[in-house]
Amino acid sequence: MPAHLSIKEIADSQAQLRRKKLVLFAFTLPLLLFVMLAFVAPIATMLYRSVYHPTVAQLIPQTLKQMQGWETQPDTLPDSDSLVTFALELKSLAGERRSGKLAEEINRVFPGASSLIKSTARKLKHLDEQEIIASQGTILLDSHKKWHNPALWHAIASAGEVWTSRYYLTALDLQLSPEGAIESRDTRIYLKLYWKSLRIALLITLLTAVLAFPLSYFLANASSAKANTLLVFVLLPFWTSLLVRTTSWIALLQTNGVVNSTLKVLGIIDQPLELLYTEFATVISMTHILLPFMVLPLYSVMKNIDPSYFRAALSLGAKPLPAFAKIYFPMTLPGLSAGALLVFIISIGYYITPALVGGTDGQMISNIIAFHMQSSNNWELAAALGSLLLVLILALYWLYDRMVGVNNIKLG
Amino acid sequence: MLSASAYLVLAFLILPILVVIPLSFNAEPFFSFTPGMLALEPDAYSLKWYQEIIEDDKWLLAIKNSFIIGFFATLIATTLGTLAAIGLSNPNMPAQRWIMAVLLSPMIVPLIITAAGMFFFYTQFNLAGSYLGVIIAHAALGTPFVIITVNAALAGFDYSLVHASLGLGAKPGYTFFKVIMPLIRPGVISGALFAFVTSFDEVVVVLFLAGPEQRTIPRQMFSGLREQINPTILAVATLLVIVSALLLLTLEYLRARSERIRLGTQ
Amino acid sequence: MKTRVSSTLLVASLFSATTLFSAATHADSLTAVSFGGAYGATQQKHMLDPFMEATGHEILFENYSGGIAELKAQVESGNILWDVIDVEVIDLERACSEGLLEPFPMDTLPPGDDGTPAMEDFSEEALANECGVGNIVWTVLFAYNNDTIGSGKPMTVADLFDTEMFPGKRALRKRPQVNMEWALLADGVAKDEVYALLETDEGQQRALDKLASIKDDIIWFDSWSQAPQLLNDGGAVMVQSANGRIFDAIQSEGKPFEMVWDGHLYDLDVWAVVKGTKKKALAEEFIRFATGSKPLSGMPDIAYGPTRQSSYAYVDPEIIPKLPSSHLDEGLKASGVFWADYGESLGEKFNEWLLE
């Protein structure tokens, strides 16, 4: 501020700036609120669901209350009062057709418990309450030998915890032992899938880069009329529906599809190759779908590289290949990294294309999230797997913002 | 060598899209070229899969739904997005970088996560299985594109024009429509097109959030591809390729116009 | 001027929006869900179309690929999208005992066209579960394609697992149901011991091991409607299928398919009302109509047997030998009770096994 302004004038101009900022913020506010409610809040709900799970605590509240205190003894069964309470609660759940829910929940902590609880519930349903009380829990223990296993009861107690890290442990192929130590699970699925998704995403990123580089170079150095015409071939796929492009790949890769019948006619193969429903199908169709995201930023960077640098190096006696590697290539890095990050971010969370062309081999982490949302109805595990994926994506997004700047995303 | 590889990549980009067009005229219920088609026999070609779209209530409902949902989602996304972009493109905007990062995040977060979260959240308000729910979700997904395009149109926008207009006594609304709007219109329209296409092409959120009554074209295609593949899908795909070609032409036209406007004002 | 145009547009769109959203909760339309393909088309022709014509109600007919997951997601989230559903009995016990379906008032079922009261007209199994009304008797068997199978002809379930004698891909539906039973049958277990053995860990492991022996040759599919397609041009030489779909492909498209009845797992399908639907009364009305003598008599079009005796008066006698009911000796009855208890844990085991 110039010195000759009075304090009042300074205060006025500051107030004006503040007002201006407020007006600008007011412009943005409706959308900010909208995005918060329509988008951020749902994602927060998902995070919440991955750790908060009161279902079992609501199904068998009395049993859980009575079992408190017993939990510290790993090798004993709960006392007979707890057993009776559990039998009574299970009986009443069976009457309300909710015992299936309990069975499902316990089964997630103790695989195999589902059939035990369901068949026991069916027996208890027809028994008299007094009879159950009088038996002091032996009715329950006699119904199946598995009820004698303390680990099962620990699993019930553990499933009853309202706040839990269990789903994150499962999502990382870990579990809690009855003694409360973290150990790895027998079957490892999810870490393998994360690695596989990373590997496929990386492969797709590499493939798009390799394909996009010569094309972008060619376009950047062609006359602008020619470049604009050829650019249509990049933009048309970009604007074409994802489902259309996936459909095309199904038509191409099927057993009797275009690729196989062409190869057959040419006499290259006798038996059709198995192309569709494989990891190969996922990779090639996603490379096709994401290629424009690599070409466009690379092209716009290359277009602005002054070819005289490269020529100068050559005229100074540098060999073409080293000159290209040392002079030209580094100048394309901003475009390459922007494209690579974008392709990587998009491909790692891809769902639709792997679901349609990937078969069993070509599935990625998103597909198992969808599986737990839609087929196994293990929403909490889906939420935990999704949260881990989200953390990964946000880290990449942050990196992208650092390196490229979110303001610099260009479309088309 | 270079041009050959460049043309090969272009062929890789475009051929898979073009291949569906002749296949959609296949007289047989297959996804592959029949010997008759290759011999160019007229009998091997037919329009019956197109006819099947017109006669199938489900496809008609899906087409209707796609346009209804796309229209309202675009309306919301464009209105809110344009306003926000006007605020965000001004250098005096507080916390610009952070707000921008939040507002653009719907474009970055994997759709499966968004869809799962929306399923949990929207069901609590009875918005799942309703048009309103899908429209809101799609509007949220479309706004980043509006922000980006309008922001680009506002780059280099001279804010003194607004001050001049306001200083001369024009009402804010009048200033918006008469001063700002003409300059950013191409950006707004292309943002709207992007928002529309986002909704028109979206299937994951629809899978999780929509009921049978809100089925859209991509949703119908998805279940078709999963359950029973038949060339009706290829016919739909061909129509969609034509739609996207038209969109592309519109956008190119807008881009040329906005270049002219920008050069004109500077 | 421009502003006025846009505000008019806004008002107009808001107006159409309100009409749109109120239309979304149209009272007289019903959403019915079944399995699509040839079966769906037959139900459309003999059940849905006549019902819509007779009552004037609209029915939105959706496909699903079976199982209880989607149903469960709807009931547990309170987001009920379906009203009436066609359920395989193998899933029915579980769906009903977990509160996903409404009990059906069996005493409101109308008598058969010949006057027989419903309780005597329907087969006992058709009304055995309180939630569903039997619709068809069908079966899961495997079929092969004469053009691609080669010289030998598969005769037994064991042949399905014999990749040396019969090389090539086998297409199976991606779920433990039926596959576990077949694995044990192929491994030499007697029919009446299959379910008892599957209750044990050893039996389950034995079934999975048997499946693992041909794992590389299996194409997994999700929906019954894919089965004939996979056999036709999808690269499978043998396919697990609902019998009606193979029958339809042979009958109406002249496909060179052959059915193998050995070890087929017969089952019923029922119509049931989804728990919590707002259109319960209309849903029940539809079920009463669809399980009438005449609509059921249309099911043998694709070799599915009607569940009530009075329907047979309308059925072409020539079709009878092709119905599953004529092949019961060669088959095994699918156990809904077993899968109600073990569907959950075996489903989990099976999926982990798939990902291994």
Side-chain angles (χ1 to χ4, degrees):
Chain A
M1 290 286 160
H4 60 262
L5 287 179
S6 71
I7 292 176
K8 186 178 178 302
E9 279 168 323
I10 294 171
D12 277 354
S13 85
Q14 276 174 348
Q16 208 180 352
L17 184 66
R18 260 206 305 279
R19 214 172 49 237
K20 200 166 163 190
K21 282 189 172 179
L22 216 63
V23 170
L24 289 170
F25 189 68
F27 267 104
T28 316
L29 191 64
L31 180 61
L32 200 57
L33 285 177
F34 179 73
V35 169
M36 283 291 170
L37 276 176
F39 179 78
V40 179
I43 290 191
T45 314
M46 185 193 73
L47 294 174
Y48 180 66
R49 280 205 83 133
S50 66
V51 289
Y52 179 73
H53 187 56
T55 310
V56 176
Q58 285 160 2
L59 288 171
I60 45 165
Q62 299 304 326
T63 309
L64 291 170
K65 208 193 248 168
Q66 288 200 352
M67 289 210 303
Q68 271 169 11
W70 154 83
E71 287 164 41
T72 47
Q73 302 146 305
D75 295 324
T76 58
L77 290 179
D79 58 28
S80 62
D81 283 354
S82 305
L83 297 182
V84 168
T85 311
F86 179 75
L88 290 174
E89 283 191 313
L90 189 56
K91 177 182 157 63
S92 83
L93 285 178
E96 299 160 19
R97 295 164 184 257
R98 292 200 299 160
S99 53
K101 186 73 203 154
L102 182 72
E104 178 189 345
E105 293 292 337
I106 309 296
N107 192 63
R108 278 177 192 154
V109 192
F110 192 89
S114 160
S115 43
L116 173 68
I117 292 174
K118 281 181 177 171
S119 55
T120 310
R122 193 163 337 101
K123 275 177 212 153
L124 291 174
K125 200 173 157 186
H126 305 293
L127 288 180
D128 188 58
E129 264 188 36
Q130 291 310 318
E131 209 178 329
I132 296 173
I133 295 168
S135 80
Q136 298 202 320
T138 49
I139 281 186
L140 190 67
L141 294 175
D142 292 346
S143 68
H144 199 289
K145 64 175 193 296
K146 278 189 185 166
W147 289 115
H148 290 274
N149 184 353
L152 172 65
W153 292 97
H154 281 283
I156 292 173
S158 147
E161 286 164 12
V162 174
W163 293 94
T164 174
S165 60
R166 201 167 67 234
Y167 297 102
Y168 280 97
L169 292 176
T170 310
L172 294 167
D173 289 334
L174 300 169
Q175 64 184 16
L176 275 182
S177 70
E179 290 79 30
I182 292 175
E183 56 187 26
S184 61
R185 276 179 91 219
D186 305 336
T187 41
R188 304 215 181 139
I189 302 174
Y190 302 113
L191 283 183
K192 239 164 58 184
L193 261 176
Y194 274 108
W195 283 121
K196 188 174 185 178
S197 306
L198 284 170
R199 185 169 56 77
I200 291 182
L202 200 64
L203 183 61
I204 290 165
T205 311
L206 277 174
L207 283 173
T208 52
V210 168
L211 293 175
F213 205 88
L215 176 59
S216 312
Y217 184 83
F218 180 74
L219 291 175
N221 292 295
S223 71
S224 93
K226 193 174 177 186
N228 277 337
T229 317
L230 292 181
L231 215 49
V232 171
F233 290 81
V234 181
L235 290 172
L236 185 63
F238 184 72
W239 279 93
T240 302
S241 162
L242 168 67
L243 264 299
V244 171
R245 286 182 280 171
T246 309
T247 309
S248 308
W249 281 104
I250 292 176
L252 286 171
L253 299 178
Q254 277 195 94
T255 314
N256 295 319
V258 179
V259 171
N260 268 323
S261 35
T262 313
L263 291 176
K264 230 173 176 174
V265 168
L266 294 177
I268 300 176
I269 52 166
D270 302 328
Q271 287 298 313
L273 297 174
E274 202 185 316
L275 301 169
L276 192 60
Y277 307 127
T278 60
E279 191 181 317
F280 168 77
T282 299
V283 171
I284 191 162
S285 43
M286 280 176 66
T287 303
H288 176 249
I289 289 166
L290 297 175
L291 189 51
F293 287 95
M294 185 66 98
V295 175
L296 295 172
L298 204 51
Y299 166 69
S300 77
V301 166
M302 284 181 173
K303 210 171 56 173
N304 294 319
I305 294 177
D306 191 340
S308 59
Y309 289 114
F310 188 45
R311 266 183 245 133
L314 289 181
S315 66
L316 289 172
K319 293 225 170 65
L321 232 75
F324 183 84
K326 285 216 174 91
I327 310 288
Y328 189 82
F329 184 72
M331 287 193 285
T332 66
L333 279 179
L336 203 56
S337 55
L341 266 173
L342 207 57
V343 169
F344 193 75
I345 289 176
I346 300 176
S347 54
I348 198 154
Y350 230 64
Y351 165 61
I352 290 296
T353 306
L356 289 174
V357 306
T360 320
D361 291 343
Q363 302 290 303
M364 298 176 67
I365 193 72
S366 289
N367 300 96
I368 198 83
I369 296 176
F371 170 79
H372 284 305
M373 286 297 297
Q374 297 180 308
S375 301
S376 82
N377 293 76
N378 195 344
W379 295 341
E380 286 69 31
L381 181 56
L385 288 163
S387 305
L388 292 176
L389 177 61
L390 184 66
V391 169
L392 183 70
I393 294 288
L394 289 181
L396 288 166
Y397 184 39
W398 175 82
L399 194 68
Y400 184 87
D401 190 25
R402 286 279 116 166
M403 291 175 61
V404 188
V406 288
N407 300 344
N408 297 328
I409 297 178
K410 292 220 173 54
L411 298 169
Chain B
M1 173 63 194
L2 173 70
S3 58
S5 54
Y7 280 110
L8 270 178
V9 177
L10 282 176
F12 172 69
L13 273 167
I14 203 78
L15 284 183
I17 292 172
L18 298 183
V19 83
V20 298
I21 297 174
L23 284 177
S24 71
F25 298 104
N26 196 344
E28 300 282 323
F30 302 129
F31 257 37
S32 47
F33 290 99
T34 56
M37 292 182 87
L38 295 173
L40 295 177
E41 285 166 21
D43 288 354
Y45 292 87
S46 125
L47 283 171
K48 67 177 175 191
W49 308 112
Y50 290 87
Q51 195 177 347
E52 215 154 271
I53 304 175
I54 302 169
E55 285 169 359
D56 189 338
D57 289 345
K58 276 190 196 165
W59 278 112
L60 294 181
L61 176 69
I63 293 169
K64 192 181 105 192
N65 280 340
S66 275
F67 279 100
I68 291 173
I69 291 167
F71 173 77
F72 286 104
T74 307
L75 195 72
I76 298 172
T78 314
T79 313
L80 297 180
T82 305
L83 283 178
I86 290 172
L88 284 166
S89 65
N90 192 299
N92 285 320
M93 176 72 198
Q96 196 253 10
R97 200 184 177 114
W98 283 102
I99 292 178
M100 193 76 158
V102 170
L103 293 183
L104 293 189
S105 58
M107 197 170 67
I108 296 296
V109 173
L111 279 166
I112 189 77
I113 295 179
T114 309
M118 283 176 169
F119 175 76
F120 294 139
F121 190 70
Y122 287 21
T123 43
Q124 294 171 26
F125 304 96
N126 280 328
L127 281 173
S130 77
Y131 281 94
L132 189 60
V134 182
I135 288 171
I136 291 176
H138 278 185
L141 293 174
T143 49
F145 299 99
V146 179
I147 293 179
I148 290 172
T149 53
V150 177
N151 226 352
L154 280 166
F157 178 75
D158 187 355
Y159 276 86
S160 61
L161 290 174
V162 177
H163 295 297
S165 167
L166 293 173
L168 289 169
K171 295 220 170 71
Y174 187 86
T175 306
F176 178 77
F177 283 104
K178 287 289 166 181
V179 180
I180 304 179
M181 202 52 187
L183 291 171
I184 62 170
R185 184 172 291 131
V188 174
I189 296 177
S190 66
L193 282 179
F194 264 106
F196 183 78
V197 169
T198 306
S199 162
F200 203 70
D201 196 18
E202 204 290 320
V203 57
V204 188
V205 168
V206 174
L207 270 172
F208 279 78
L209 221 50
E213 283 164 345
Q214 293 92 36
R215 286 217 155 182
T216 59
I217 300 172
R219 175 70 181 80
Q220 194 66 20
M221 288 181 82
F222 183 82
S223 54
L225 288 173
R226 271 220 143 158
E227 283 155 19
Q228 195 155 34
I229 298 180
N230 89 39
T232 317
I233 292 173
L234 297 176
V236 175
T238 305
L239 295 177
L240 289 180
V241 170
I242 295 171
V243 170
S244 36
L246 290 176
L247 273 170
L248 180 60
L249 286 177
T250 317
L251 265 176
E252 285 304 305
Y253 169 76
L254 284 171
R255 191 205 308 277
R257 241 183 70 147
S258 103
E259 292 283 301
R260 274 210 305 281
I261 290 177
R262 193 170 311 153
L263 293 176
T265 55
Q266 271 170 3
Chain C
M1 180 53 203
K2 274 254 168 59
T3 41
R4 191 168 324 136
V5 173
S6 22
S7 54
T8 323
L9 194 74
L10 189 72
V11 171
S13 47
L14 280 178
F15 180 73
S16 53
T18 40
T19 49
L20 184 70
F21 298 137
S22 53
T25 52
H26 205 278
D28 295 324
S29 86
L30 195 68
T31 301
V33 183
S34 181
F35 293 82
Y39 181 43
T42 308
Q43 287 182 321
Q44 179 85 47
K45 183 174 159 200
H46 295 285
M47 295 172 170
L48 279 80
D49 286 346
F51 180 75
M52 288 195 268
E53 201 167 308
T55 62
H57 296 301
E58 280 289 308
I59 301 184
L60 199 55
F61 198 28
E62 281 285 301
N63 296 341
Y64 84 131
S65 46
I68 66 163
E70 284 174 272
L71 186 62
K72 202 158 151 178
Q74 291 182 23
V75 174
E76 283 180 11
S77 68
N79 175 31
I80 310 293
L81 303 170
W82 298 344
D83 305 311
V84 186
I85 183 170
D86 181 311
V87 189
E88 295 175 34
V89 167
I90 214 165
D91 294 321
L92 174 67
E93 180 71 33
R94 186 168 167 207
C96 189
S97 67
E98 294 187 16
L100 307 179
L101 299 171
E102 299 276 1
F104 191 88
M106 300 294 178
D107 51 351
T108 64
L109 286 169
D113 287 1
D114 58 2
T116 321
M119 291 303 156
E120 294 159 34
D121 196 13
F122 277 97
S123 73
E124 201 181 319
E125 284 138 345
L127 305 180
N129 187 290
E130 56 181 329
C131 291
V133 182
N135 161 22
I136 53 162
V137 182
W138 64 292
T139 193
V140 189
L141 42 66
F142 77 94
Y144 58 89
N145 187 333
N146 267 321
D147 288 351
T148 55
I149 192 69
S151 48
K153 303 288 172 215
M155 310 285 285
T156 64
V157 176
D159 292 343
L160 180 72
F161 285 80
D162 190 343
T163 49
E164 266 174 40
M165 280 272 276
F166 306 99
K169 297 278 174 189
R170 288 92 166 107
L172 301 175
R173 192 168 145 197
K174 200 175 178 178
R175 58 171 188 172
Q177 283 84 347
V178 184
N179 295 321
M180 301 289 274
E181 286 99 323
W182 277 4
L184 288 188
L185 286 176
D187 212 25
V189 176
K191 272 186 224 162
D192 50 358
E193 287 166 17
V194 166
Y195 282 111
L197 191 57
L198 273 181
E199 284 184 12
T200 64
D201 288 342
E202 299 76 35
Q204 295 170 8
Q205 197 52 50
R206 186 168 161 192
L208 287 177
D209 288 344
K210 184 70 184 172
L211 279 169
S213 69
I214 56 164
K215 196 175 182 183
D216 292 340
D217 289 300
I218 300 177
I219 302 174
W220 298 105
F221 63 87
D222 291 308
S223 159
W224 282 134
S225 51
Q226 288 169 290
Q229 208 173 330
L230 284 163
L231 195 55
N232 183 53
D233 59 353
V237 299
M238 290 184 230
V239 69
Q240 182 181 78
S241 176
N243 65 307
R245 294 173 193 270
I246 299 296
F247 176 83
D248 182 62
I250 299 171
Q251 205 75 1
S252 55
E253 293 171 42
K255 298 289 181 203
F257 296 167
E258 207 75 55
M259 293 188 248
V260 178
W261 286 94
D262 179 61
H264 71 101
L265 231 73
Y266 59 94
D267 197 357
L268 269 68
D269 261 24
V270 303
W271 281 113
V273 180
V274 176
K275 178 93 184 171
T277 166
K278 293 194 193 88
K279 293 162 190 163
K280 194 174 163 201
L282 186 58
E284 288 174 357
E285 191 186 334
F286 169 75
I287 292 180
R288 280 191 289 273
F289 181 92
T291 56
S293 308
K294 185 83 189 145
L296 283 185
S297 72
M299 299 299 110
D301 283 6
I302 52 166
Y304 290 153
T307 47
R308 61 195 302 171
Q309 204 51 45
S310 58
S311 298
Y312 283 92
Y314 303 104
V315 176
D316 176 4
E318 272 182 32
I319 198 84
I320 306 277
K322 306 205 160 113
L323 300 180
S325 43
S326 308
H327 293 269
L328 297 187
D329 292 349
E330 295 148 87
L332 169 66
K333 170 101 182 68
S335 168
V337 176
F338 173 83
W339 285 110
D341 284 357
Y342 288 86
E344 189 85 54
S345 38
L346 277 181
E348 199 124 310
K349 242 187 182 171
F350 179 77
N351 283 305
E352 294 202 347
W353 172 81
L354 270 183
L355 286 166
E356 264 171 26

